[in-house]
């Protein structure tokens, strides 16, 4: 179909200009971004804009993150393949799909039941059978499947939720937006070494929807 071809071309252009063109280097991340059909995770009226350089509405007052930020954060996780990954705030399921292209398996946790259901449906339809979406409060992580090699958080908390540090295995990486102001946050990368010590680094300024939950913002 013509539209499909246009979207495939738009995806290639997106990777060339917004991802590789802005300094994302990890070949695994670039390959994953070239592969996942973002239009499938975007509601029908916004499909033509699936490869725009922006976040888009996905319903329930939430957004699918800007492609560049998804790529940058996943690159910061330093995945090499084979990892067990948690994503907090799965929304449309798009970032979970990108993670699944690289990692062994992905647990996604989403607090909005409607989004969780739709994300699982989309991922299953596209054949992402190594992703499981759970409905719940991801500010507490997801203990039943811990520890994780890598944790990605796609919504911003005022502080780093302690459970996410606990659920990281030694050597694991956590990448999340944090900030006391709702409108401005930084992406922080936290690595836990073999002895459980933490190394932190702030990567860039961002603006994410709030992480709402026990260890996040109040609803
Ligand atoms: N990664 C998503 C981005 C969605 S926006 C994508 O690719 O589409 C962030 C999501 O975090 C929203 O869907 C919001 O409902 C969810 N969220 C906010 N607080 C949460 C919490 N405590 N636990 C789980 N999900 C949460």
């Amino acid at each position: 179909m013509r539209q499909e071809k246009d979207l495939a071309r738009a995806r290639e252009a997106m990777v060339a200009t917004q991802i590789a063109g802005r300094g994302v280097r990890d070949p695994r991340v670039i390959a994953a971004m070239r592969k996942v059909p973002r239009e499938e995770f975007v509601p029908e009226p916004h499909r033509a804009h699936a490869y725009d350089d922006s976040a888009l509405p996905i319903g329930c007052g939430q957004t699918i993150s800007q492609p560049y930020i998804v790529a940058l954060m996943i690159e910061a996780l330093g995945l090499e393949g084979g990892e067990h990954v948690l994503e907090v705030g799965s929304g449309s399921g798009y970032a979970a799909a990108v993670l699944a292209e690289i990692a062994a398996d992905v647990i996604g946790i989403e607090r909005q039941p409607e989004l969780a259901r739709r994300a699982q449906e989309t991922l299953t339809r596209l054949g992402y059978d190594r992703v499981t979406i759970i409905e719940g409060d991801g500010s507490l992580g997801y203990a039943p499947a811990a520890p994780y090699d890598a944790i990605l958080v796609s919504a911003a908390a005022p502080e780093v939720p302690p459970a996410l540090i606990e659920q990281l295995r030694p050597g694991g990486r956590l990448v999340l937006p944090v900030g006391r102001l709702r409108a401005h946050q930084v992406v922080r990368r936290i690595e836990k070494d073999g002895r459980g010590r933490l190394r932190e680094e702030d990567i860039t300024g961002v603006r994410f929807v709030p992480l709402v939950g026990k260890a996040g913002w109040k609803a």
Side-chain angles (χ1 to χ4, degrees), residues 62-65 87 89-95 109-112 115 136-139 154-155 209-212:
Q62 306 302 323
T63 56
I64 178 172
S65 313
E87 191 211 3
S90 293
S92 68
Y94 175 70
I109 182 158
E110 169 54 53
R111 76 182 275 272
Q112 300 271 4
L115 293 180
D137 178 6
S139 73
S154 298
V209 299
L211 183 79
V212 175

Side-chain angles (χ1 to χ4, degrees), residues 62-63 65 73 77 85-93 95-96 99 106-112 132-143 148 150-157 161 163-165 167-168 174-177 208-216:
Q62 306 302 323
T63 56
S65 313
M73 290 176 81
L77 288 173
V85 179
L86 175 69
E87 191 211 3
V88 175
S90 293
S92 68
L99 288 165
V106 179
I107 307 272
I109 182 158
E110 169 54 53
R111 76 182 275 272
Q112 300 271 4
T132 309
I133 304 292
I134 312 270
E135 181 199 320
D137 178 6
S139 73
L140 305 176
Y142 185 66
Y148 302 97
I151 302 178
L152 175 70
V153 185
S154 298
L164 300 184
I165 303 276
Q167 292 174 23
L168 210 53
L174 165 65
V175 172
L176 79 173
F208 268 87
V209 299
L211 183 79
V212 175
K214 287 225 171 73

